[in-house]
Amino acid sequence: MAIQNEETRRLLDAEDGEDETAVRSEQDEYLDKVKNGKLFLASFAAVLGPLSFGFVLGYSSPTIPELSVITDSRLQLDDEEASWFGSIVTIGAAIGGLLGGWMVDKIGRKLSLMFCAIPYIFGFTVIIAAQNVWMLYLGRVLTGLASGITSLVVPLYLSEMAHERVRGTVGSCVQLMVVTGIMGAYIAGLFLDWRWLAIFCSIPPTLMLVIMCFMPETPRFLLSQGKRREAVEALRFLRGPDAPVEWECDRIEEASEDTRGCLGMADLKDPGVYKPLGVGIMLMLFQQLTGINAIMFYAQSIFENAHFKNSDVATVVVAGTQVVFTAVAALVMDHAGRKFLLILSGISMCLSTAAFGVYFKLSTETHGNSSGLGIEEYFAHDPAADLSWLALASMGIFITGFALGWGPIPWLVMSEIFPSRVKGFASSVCVLTNWGTAFLITKTFQDLMDLLSSAGTFWFFSGCCALNVVFTIFFVPETKGQTLEQIQL
């Protein structure tokens, strides 16, 4: 049975009137009685997954230089092997996204989250015990697989547990913990060798596996399986003893009655399915086309050119900046709204990447025609010192803007806009889009530089950021303060 349009486009076609006002008043009265302590505890347990994900992403930065000069020839990485060691995670993550989409519908959000801890732990164990390069690759693929499952399951778990007053803040903690994990791996890498760093990185997924044993399944999934009693118990755990959870349970159940069953091909013709799916896919595509990977790739060279002697510490500073402003985004998410932050983020990244293009253009003019130069050669020229401030300022503005909007919000909106019966399928398509695009950009970035030059590449990213602002204004719905049932497109 196709999803009924009346039920799946409430955000766009909401009716005005006394009934809606009455519902809102009743909803506010209910939320005033809610206690958030155990909700935050369950959220903490879940976001240990994104923390593990961040450790996976950050692990390669301090490890690759060490493995490039290691005395054991079986483990020593040349330039091509080092490139694959860093990027092969995205292949595992893309596969994990597809697997996660199937798992969340078959075994639920909680068990899927617990399951993804296993390839995290096993993957880092393989890296610890590695005797050759192929074992290193296997460990990276397994941790990438777990990261892909995590990037799909955790946003769904959080959005289905949290109520509308805190859902933006709780959902933004996914990206906050990812960048915290990246920074943690950078900092730990200053003091630990690559094997001990892998042991350290395996701690968060182990904790997640243990703590999640005591956390509930999401009420919405339980109701979709006809388990009302368990759903009421889960809501009572999450909302506290004073909240009349039967009222919320009734509302969720009523809204989901017409969305039960299996996804069929006919559903893909329903605007209530293809519209949010299109929004989700474009959000993931635009996130990767902001140029975030290019900026982070250049970060160390930019700091070195600006005469920062310890580039490792400078990398930690970049990661710390991401953590701070992602935390700011989490705090203001439910007040400022998703669209406003996306627009602000897009504008700041558009301007900063355009300025990066100017920096490279001026550097090129200073040193003659160098359009064929590679990445390292650009910085080997040591552009005029008076231009270094432009690169540093552009990078700071870009990282701040990305952390405020296009870093956390695509994952949050993905977890909010899909009807219940298509969440697994639609989310897996979005995650596959994100990781597939990340892999393509990472592996073809030098080719893009050769084709467009450094200046042209960053102006291309600037144009993509301008397009994402336009896309946000016209197509992305504002989900602030709405229940998941009200959000359905």
Side-chain angles (χ1 to χ4, degrees):
M1 181 182 66
I3 300 175
Q4 297 183 14
N5 296 348
E6 294 275 336
E7 292 295 322
T8 57
R9 287 180 285 176
R10 295 180 178 177
L11 184 61
L12 296 182
D13 303 315
E15 296 180 0
D16 297 325
E18 297 180 359
D19 290 342
E20 185 178 342
T21 303
V23 169
R24 174 66 62 180
S25 178
E26 191 175 6
Q27 185 173 306
D28 289 338
E29 184 179 346
Y30 169 76
L31 291 175
D32 289 339
K33 299 177 181 178
V34 167
K35 305 296 183 184
N36 292 321
K38 290 186 177 179
L39 168 62
F40 293 152
L41 175 62
S43 300
F44 169 76
V47 297
L48 287 172
L51 181 65
S52 307
F53 172 18
F55 276 117
V56 171
L57 295 180
Y59 179 76
S60 61
S61 182
T63 300
I64 287 176
E66 189 174 350
L67 291 177
S68 297
V69 297
I70 194 171
T71 56
D72 189 343
S73 60
R74 298 173 302 169
L75 294 170
Q76 192 175 69
L77 302 178
D78 58 29
D79 290 343
E80 183 65 20
E81 290 169 336
S83 173
W84 277 106
F85 183 81
S87 62
I88 202 171
V89 167
T90 59
I91 298 177
I95 298 171
L98 293 176
L99 179 60
W102 176 82
M103 289 171 58
V104 291
D105 286 336
K106 294 298 181 181
I107 66 175
R109 284 58 163 154
K110 174 184 174 179
L111 289 179
S112 297
L113 192 50
M114 294 175 68
F115 172 82
C116 78
I118 297 173
Y120 272 131
I121 297 169
F122 187 55
F124 279 120
T125 301
V126 171
I127 291 174
I128 294 166
Q131 299 299 312
N132 53 57
V133 171
W134 288 103
M135 289 185 71
L136 294 175
Y137 287 166
L138 176 60
R140 291 291 281 172
V141 169
L142 287 172
T143 54
L145 179 75
S147 299
I149 299 173
T150 297
S151 62
L152 185 147
V153 177
V154 175
L156 292 185
Y157 185 79
L158 295 178
S159 69
E160 292 188 357
M161 280 199 316
H163 54 83
E164 53 271 28
R165 285 188 180 176
V166 299
R167 193 178 61 245
T169 296
V170 170
S172 298
C173 288
V174 172
Q175 182 70 9
L176 174 61
M177 296 305 284
V178 170
V179 295
T180 300
I182 293 173
M183 183 178 70
Y186 288 170
I187 294 174
L190 297 175
F191 307 100
L192 302 174
D193 69 16
W194 64 277
R195 291 190 194 273
W196 278 104
L197 181 59
I199 294 173
F200 179 75
C201 291
S202 67
I203 295 175
T206 304
L207 290 176
M208 180 182 69
L209 180 62
V210 173
I211 300 175
M212 281 301 300
C213 292
F214 305 98
M215 298 299 110
E217 178 58 89
T218 69
R220 285 172 175 82
F221 178 77
L222 291 170
L223 286 173
S224 72
Q225 301 300 303
K227 300 179 179 180
R228 180 182 172 85
R229 181 176 62 81
E230 292 89 340
V232 171
E233 292 175 356
L235 280 170
R236 190 167 287 117
F237 177 89
L238 296 169
R239 304 293 186 256
D242 300 329
V245 294
E246 290 281 356
W247 178 84
E248 183 177 358
C249 191
D250 289 339
R251 290 198 62 199
I252 297 172
E253 195 169 34
E254 179 183 356
S256 62
E257 280 180 356
D258 295 321
T259 63
R260 292 179 181 173
C262 298
L263 175 68
M265 291 301 296
D267 293 324
L268 298 179
K269 301 177 182 179
D270 190 324
V273 175
Y274 70 71
K275 286 175 63 179
L277 180 59
V279 170
I281 290 173
M282 293 306 296
L283 283 172
M284 293 303 175
L285 189 62
F286 275 127
Q287 184 191 59
Q288 291 300 321
L289 290 175
T290 58
I292 179 63
N293 290 322
I295 297 292
M296 298 308 293
F297 191 92
Y298 270 112
Q300 181 173 333
S301 297
I302 291 171
F303 274 111
E304 289 175 351
N305 197 59
H307 310 297
F308 284 81
K309 299 303 181 183
N310 194 333
S311 61
D312 291 336
V313 175
T315 304
V316 173
V317 172
V318 172
T321 302
Q322 285 188 298
V323 171
V324 169
F325 285 98
T326 304
V328 171
L331 293 174
V332 304
M333 188 70 66
D334 285 309
H335 301 286
R338 283 63 155 163
K339 290 190 70 166
F340 173 77
L341 290 176
L342 282 175
I343 293 170
L344 178 64
S345 172
I347 292 173
S348 63
M349 291 188 298
C350 177
L351 296 176
S352 58
T353 47
F356 254 117
V358 172
Y359 168 78
F360 283 112
K361 182 65 174 177
L362 294 177
S363 299
T364 301
E365 291 178 350
T366 301
H367 299 284
N369 183 11
S370 55
S371 59
L373 292 179
I375 293 169
E376 298 300 328
E377 285 82 354
Y378 262 103
F379 288 97
H381 282 302
D382 190 19
D386 59 351
L387 291 180
S388 63
W389 69 268
L390 181 59
L392 287 172
S394 299
M395 183 173 66
I397 294 171
F398 180 91
I399 292 173
T400 299
F402 183 82
L404 284 175
W406 279 92
I409 294 179
W411 299 105
L412 173 61
V413 172
M414 179 197 75
S415 70
E416 295 177 322
I417 61 176
F418 299 128
S420 297
R421 67 193 303 235
V422 300
K423 275 190 175 181
F425 167 77
S427 298
S428 66
V429 172
C430 290
V431 171
L432 179 62
T433 299
N434 187 283
W435 286 109
T437 306
F439 175 76
L440 290 175
I441 290 178
T442 301
K443 295 302 292 182
T444 63
F445 180 63
Q446 183 61 59
D447 293 331
L448 191 62
M449 291 273 293
D450 294 338
L451 178 65
L452 301 178
S453 78
S454 287
T457 299
F458 279 91
W459 285 333
F460 168 76
F461 289 136
S462 180
C464 290
C465 291
L467 287 176
N468 75 40
V469 172
V470 175
F471 175 77
T472 301
I473 293 172
F474 290 103
F475 296 104
V476 177
E478 178 56 75
T479 59
K480 178 184 72 172
Q482 303 283 338
T483 67
L484 292 183
E485 288 70 38
Q486 292 167 335
I487 289 170
Q488 293 175 7
L489 293 175

